[in-house]
Amino acid sequence: MDDILELASRLGRRIADEPRAKRMVAARAALDASLVDRRLLSEFEDVQGRLYELESSGKPIEPEDKRRFVELQQKVIQSSVIKDLLKAQADFLELMTLVSQRIEVEAQGPDTPPPT
């Protein structure tokens, strides 16, 4: 088991050196450095969550709530810091999905068809 954990640690360090991982770290740091964008993203997520809860419970969504959501959504779309973070997250997720799929294939043996 220790050898597997050592390999996982080495893989983690190698992933950290990959450009997509570095962009992810940089994008998170940029968001951390921007109070305006952090507040905007937090408020957007709060409003989005509230609307989801209302919709899930069958309660009506007030026009003011919809207006606020659209307003915040536009601001999020216009934020280069948030856009960069979302792009970096998507790229990093793609990398991690490929890594996970490869590990799964190798763990199950070479004759196992790849996951779809």
Side-chain angles (χ1 to χ4, degrees):
M1 174 77 168
D2 287 344
D3 57 333
I4 293 172
L5 295 177
E6 174 54 33
L7 284 171
S9 293
R10 287 180 33 214
L11 177 59
R13 288 190 297 271
R14 177 60 190 95
I15 288 171
D17 287 338
E18 215 279 336
R20 286 177 273 195
K22 289 182 178 184
R23 283 192 298 273
M24 180 69 172
V25 169
R28 282 183 181 159
L31 181 65
D32 289 345
S34 174
L35 179 60
V36 170
D37 289 296
R38 280 196 328 264
R39 284 183 177 164
L40 172 60
L41 189 56
S42 177
E43 186 176 357
F44 175 74
E45 290 171 344
D46 289 347
V47 169
Q48 187 178 39
R50 189 169 54 251
L51 293 181
Y52 176 78
E53 287 176 18
L54 289 170
E55 186 176 61
S56 295
S57 65
K59 295 180 182 174
I61 298 174
E62 298 299 323
E64 176 58 26
D65 291 331
K66 289 178 186 177
R67 186 199 60 75
R68 184 67 181 142
F69 176 76
V70 169
E71 176 186 311
L72 289 169
Q73 187 177 41
Q74 289 302 313
K75 288 181 179 181
V76 164
I77 289 169
Q78 294 170 356
S79 167
S80 62
V81 171
I82 295 172
K83 277 194 292 194
D84 290 346
L85 176 65
L86 294 175
K87 173 76 169 104
Q89 285 176 332
D91 291 346
F92 186 73
L93 178 61
E94 178 185 43
L95 169 66
M96 295 308 293
T97 299
L98 292 171
V99 168
S100 178
Q101 287 173 346
R102 178 67 59 93
I103 290 169
E104 183 179 340
V105 166
E106 295 300 325
Q108 293 180 8
D111 296 331
T112 304
T116 56

